[in-house]
Amino acid sequence: MKEGIKVLLIIFVVLVISVLADTIQAKVFDNNPLLKIRYNRDGGNVDFVDKGILVYTYVFTDGRKVTVFRWEKYSPPLEESLDSQDNNNIESENKVSLNINVVIDKLL
């Protein structure tokens, strides 16, 4: 009887260690969990979500990954906000080039 309890305890400890190792590697390296269920997302900027036992990994269409714990509140940024950030970067580049042109015109 005691051998059966030892075997069950060893199996339980191995399962707990494997789940913790999977969670740590996913969170530390911002990687996909090995024990997961993958949900494909249609539309938007999230390509798919890997739902592990203790973590979620969001993979975006541009290749970025974000790994969060299940109990953390996380909302992926909307596609419009990403586009507006790109537009703001383009506008700032245009302002810089415009300022350089103004300085050059004043020097000449």
Side-chain angles (χ1 to χ4, degrees):
M1 186 71 159
K2 289 190 178 192
E3 269 188 46
I5 293 173
K6 285 181 183 179
V7 170
L8 288 176
L9 185 63
I10 290 172
I11 290 172
F12 178 74
V13 169
V14 167
L15 286 174
V16 168
I17 289 173
S18 63
V19 167
L20 289 176
D22 182 40
T23 301
I24 290 170
Q25 72 85 22
K27 189 68 175 161
V28 170
F29 299 116
D30 204 22
N31 203 356
N32 298 346
L34 299 174
L35 306 170
K36 66 184 175 210
I37 296 175
R38 179 170 284 181
Y39 291 99
N40 288 323
R41 306 288 289 225
D42 294 331
N45 61 341
V46 177
D47 194 15
F48 56 88
V49 178
D50 286 336
K51 293 186 176 185
I53 295 173
L54 296 176
V55 292
Y56 289 159
T57 299
Y58 295 89
V59 179
F60 296 96
T61 54
D62 61 358
R64 290 183 301 126
K65 293 181 185 178
V66 176
T67 303
V68 296
F69 288 110
R70 281 183 171 252
W71 53 85
E72 291 178 341
K73 291 185 178 180
Y74 178 74
S75 176
L78 298 174
E79 191 169 355
E80 296 87 24
S81 65
L82 291 177
D83 290 340
S84 67
Q85 288 175 355
D86 292 340
N87 289 338
N88 289 339
N89 290 339
I90 292 171
E91 289 174 10
S92 64
E93 289 173 6
N94 289 339
K95 288 179 184 177
V96 170
S97 64
L98 179 65
N99 290 340
I100 292 172
N101 289 336
V102 169
V103 170
I104 292 173
D105 288 340
K106 286 184 180 180
L107 290 176
L108 296 176

